[in-house]
Amino acid sequence: MTTDLNVEMYRALARIADDESLMKQAVDFVKSLVKTKKKSDPTLMTKEEYFVKIDRSLEQAKRGEVKVVKNIKELEDYFNSL
């Protein structure tokens, strides 16, 4: 299936390869698709957001707001309880 899509994509690009304006539009469109996909992924964050989460976690640890697990079984039990 992926191979078929790749072939189809390359065929479409080959048809417009001689037209610089169309190629630029195609590149811009593909870039916009990638940006849209990245924005829709809720697990992605900016560098600033990442460091805010790290700082918040460190503060929680300093206050003793942590879950201590002693072995894999306890860790599995904890994850299963979420």
Side-chain angles (χ1 to χ4, degrees):
M1 174 102 163
T2 301
T3 304
D4 293 340
L5 289 174
N6 285 339
V7 169
E8 187 176 346
M9 174 64 82
Y10 286 117
R11 283 184 184 153
L13 289 173
R15 284 188 222 112
I16 64 170
D18 293 333
D19 187 326
E20 187 174 344
S21 175
L22 286 176
M23 284 297 287
K24 181 171 176 9
Q25 288 178 17
V27 168
D28 290 343
F29 179 72
V30 170
K31 285 180 180 178
S32 73
L33 287 175
V34 172
K35 287 179 184 175
T36 302
K37 177 64 176 165
K38 285 183 179 179
K39 289 180 184 175
S40 66
D41 185 346
T43 64
L44 293 178
M45 65 184 84
T46 65
K47 189 175 182 180
E48 292 77 21
E49 291 170 326
Y50 173 78
F51 285 114
V52 166
K53 282 184 169 259
I54 295 295
D55 290 341
R56 188 177 325 128
S57 296
L58 291 172
E59 288 300 318
Q60 287 175 320
K62 285 179 187 175
R63 292 191 304 266
E65 299 171 1
V66 295
K67 174 69 176 165
V68 177
V69 292
K70 297 176 182 137
N71 54 51
I72 297 292
K73 174 74 171 114
E74 285 185 14
L75 182 62
E76 287 174 348
D77 291 343
Y78 174 71
F79 282 139
N80 289 332
S81 74
L82 299 177

